Amino acid sequence: MLNFTIIIICVLVCIALLLNTWRLFEGPSMPDRILALDTMFINSIALIVLMGMYMGSPLYFEGALLIAMLGFVSTAAVCTYLLRGDIIK
């Protein structure tokens, strides 16, 4: 029963990723696109954690942590670039 539930949730998260991709390309402004990219990071982390639960492997959780750190740093870097025009100053 748990495996069936995880598969349904994976499908729903994939649909959310598709909608985020649409917002990323069709967003009316740059902050909308940054939020869509950040939400894509969060949804991909959720998908990886769900796959780790489905497969029963702790290696997926370490991958999710790496993607979480990459998402935080990249979002902060893009926001800094948009505010100041330079990442490191």
Side-chain angles (χ1 to χ4, degrees):
M1 184 67 182
L2 183 63
N3 288 339
F4 182 69
T5 306
I6 289 175
I7 290 171
I8 289 174
I9 294 171
C10 284
V11 169
L12 293 174
V13 170
C14 288
I15 291 171
L17 277 169
L18 288 174
L19 291 172
N20 285 328
T21 305
W22 177 71
R23 176 53 66 189
L24 183 67
F25 290 125
E26 296 292 326
S29 65
M30 191 56 73
D32 289 332
R33 292 180 176 157
I34 292 172
L35 286 174
L37 187 64
D38 194 40
T39 308
M40 285 179 74
F41 274 117
I42 293 169
N43 286 338
S44 64
I45 290 167
L47 191 61
I48 290 172
V49 167
L50 286 169
M51 289 305 295
M53 289 171 60
Y54 184 74
M55 299 289 182
S57 175
L59 194 61
Y60 288 97
F61 300 111
E62 293 177 10
L65 282 173
L66 289 173
I67 290 177
M69 289 188 292
L70 178 69
F72 173 74
V73 170
S74 65
T75 302
V78 169
C79 289
T80 304
Y81 178 74
L82 286 178
L83 287 175
R84 292 192 279 178
D86 194 13
I87 295 174
I88 300 173
K89 208 169 208 184

